[in-house]
Amino acid sequence: MAAMLEFRTQGYNPYAVKYSPYYDSRIAVATSANFGIVGNGRVFALGLTAQGVQVEKTFDTNDALYDLAWSEINENQLIVAGGDGSLKLFDLGVNEFPIMNFHEHKRETFSVCWNPVTKDTFISSSWDGTVKIWSPTRPHSLKTLPIGNCTYSTSFCPSNPALVSAVSSDSHLRVFDLRTPTSAKYHLVSTIPVHAAGSPPAEVLTHDWNKYNDTVVAAGGVDRIIRTFDIRNPAAGPLGLMLGHEYAIRRLAWSPHASDVLISGSYDMTVRLWNDGSAQPSGPLAGAKPGHQLGVMNRHTEFVTGVDWCLFGAGGWVASVGWDERVLLWDSNMLMGPGPR
């Protein structure tokens, strides 16, 4: 196996990792003491150097941290999502204290995402059953979208700043279009059941938009299956299915370098690389195409909670984090066997 960089978040269990959108040599990790059950949180900004992984900055919070996002307008700022329902904006050039605090969620804030298109807003989701849209310059939210169920993950469409998505404990993927009138169901334009009719619903923990095809979303969760959907056709069921994880899928991310590749991290302690099957010719029978696993990385010794791709370079570097207090940085190409993909 190729070289793997490693960093230990001593005394803290990671929940999320994100590469900087500005530098291939900077990542941030959101962590919690005591597995996030009780105690404080710490965010690590890490630099990847010739001498290994170095701590550039840490910030401590009074409550567990579950997710983070780099600012898209300031290379030194990042936002973290906390167990007390707050979001805090930190600046690497400012010591200790957040430069902004946003606190409207009534329960744990579990997900945060910065708008990659207009770059002037970010979005959060909470166990309180809401998604909120914020400006980094205003303490109060710009808009609240009711989900009604514990909402584990929310995101902006990577090419359309008006489209917002969320997945939740009721096993649905919801898409909102902020251009529609609020009176029309709070901008809700699509509710896609992630599980087929007749099968028991299972909580959906993670989802991501395809970076090359902005109508395709992948979702995963407790039932261990990754499914892809076309948001233009909610009734059609999944486009593709990827099976292989043995426990719940905690985080997934589409590659920024290829339209049919994604990576996932699971409570089975593995990170898996997938081809979504979309390039296969359609058979005579309609239905979901089977994706296939390109490889497995099993160096973590606890739940894998975060995965992310580096945006730069030849296209294969990923970061993964787990409850084993480890941050691993590695080339996903090493999971792929010789020969064509």
Side-chain angles (χ1 to χ4, degrees), residues 7-21:
F7 178 81
R8 270 203 103 89
T9 56
Q10 200 74 44
Y12 289 86
N13 308 103
Y15 267 88
V17 61
K18 296 284 167 62
Y19 269 94
S20 165

Side-chain angles (χ1 to χ4, degrees), residues 33 86 103 106 117 119 137 168-169 172-173 177 197 221 235 248 266-267 271 280 289 297 304 313-314 322 327 335 340:
S86 74
H103 202 164
K106 304 287 192 287
V117 185
K119 305 184 187 298
T137 61
S168 51
S169 58
H172 283 79
L173 163 68
D177 188 334
S266 163
Y267 292 155
V271 180
Q280 296 175 25
K289 295 180 179 179
M297 192 283 283
V304 177
V327 184
L335 297 186

Side-chain angles (χ1 to χ4, degrees), residues 13-98:
N13 308 103
Y15 267 88
V17 61
K18 296 284 167 62
Y19 269 94
S20 165
Y22 298 93
Y23 304 107
D24 61 1
S25 59
R26 181 181 273 175
I27 63 169
V29 183
T31 70
S32 300
N34 308 306
F35 305 98
I37 297 159
V38 62
N40 57 334
R42 177 173 289 176
V43 56
F44 293 81
L46 303 173
L48 316 180
T49 75
Q51 286 73 48
V53 184
Q54 312 274 350
V55 177
E56 291 185 359
K57 195 89 177 172
T58 61
F59 297 103
D60 288 353
T61 56
N62 291 331
D63 219 298
L65 295 180
Y66 296 127
D67 199 16
L68 80 161
W70 286 97
S71 165
E72 293 278 352
I73 45 177
N74 185 320
E75 63 193 41
N76 289 313
Q77 292 181 359
L78 50 83
I79 187 106
V80 296
D84 60 357
S86 74
L87 294 134
K88 291 176 165 54
L89 185 66
F90 288 103
D91 190 306
L92 301 187
V94 178
N95 283 333
E96 291 180 44
F97 298 107

Side-chain angles (χ1 to χ4, degrees), residues 220-236:
V222 171
D223 81 343
R224 317 187 300 280
I225 300 170
I226 299 171
R227 295 174 178 83
T228 57
F229 296 91
D230 189 326
I231 63 167
R232 295 168 303 184
N233 195 353

Side-chain angles (χ1 to χ4, degrees), residues 2 13 17 19 71 98 101 105 112 132 146 151 155 164 181 184 196 207 213 226 235 279 293-294 307 335:
N13 308 103
V17 61
Y19 269 94
S71 165
N101 193 44
H105 285 300
V112 62
K132 288 179 181 282
T151 306
S155 186
V164 165
H207 77 298
N213 184 342
I226 299 171
Q293 190 172 284
L294 299 172
V307 291
L335 297 186

Side-chain angles (χ1 to χ4, degrees), residues 253-324:
W254 286 99
S255 169
H257 310 289
S259 64
D260 56 357
V261 173
L262 66 161
I263 203 161
S264 58
S266 163
Y267 292 155
D268 66 12
M269 307 188 202
T270 67
V271 180
R272 296 177 193 239
L273 188 69
W274 306 89
N275 180 291
D276 71 356
S278 58
Q280 296 175 25
S282 286
L285 296 172
K289 295 180 179 179
H292 63 275
Q293 190 172 284
L294 299 172
V296 181
M297 192 283 283
N298 54 10
R299 296 283 190 91
H300 284 288
T301 55
E302 255 296 350
F303 292 170
V304 177
T305 49
V307 291
D308 195 32
W309 294 86
C310 182
L311 296 174
F312 307 101
W317 279 90
V318 291
S320 59
V321 295
W323 273 9
D324 52 7

Side-chain angles (χ1 to χ4, degrees), residues 133-216:
I133 299 170
W134 310 82
S135 159
T137 61
R138 292 171 56 172
H140 300 292
S141 62
L142 306 175
K143 199 175 282 285
T144 299
L145 306 174
I147 307 289
N149 295 276
C150 178
T151 306
Y152 291 113
S153 169
T154 186
S155 186
F156 282 102
C157 172
S159 61
N160 185 336
L163 293 183
V164 165
S165 56
V167 296
S168 51
S169 58
D170 70 347
S171 186
H172 283 79
L173 163 68
R174 289 174 174 81
V175 180
F176 300 84
D177 188 334
L178 304 179
R179 296 165 299 192
T180 62
T182 311
S183 56
K185 295 186 174 175
Y186 289 99
H187 310 290
L188 182 68
V189 290
S190 193
T191 305
I192 300 173
V194 174
H195 298 81
S199 65
E203 297 193 310
V204 186
L205 303 178
T206 179
H207 77 298
D208 194 30
W209 294 76
N210 190 304
K211 309 297 186 285
Y212 292 86
N213 184 342
D214 63 8
T215 66
V216 174

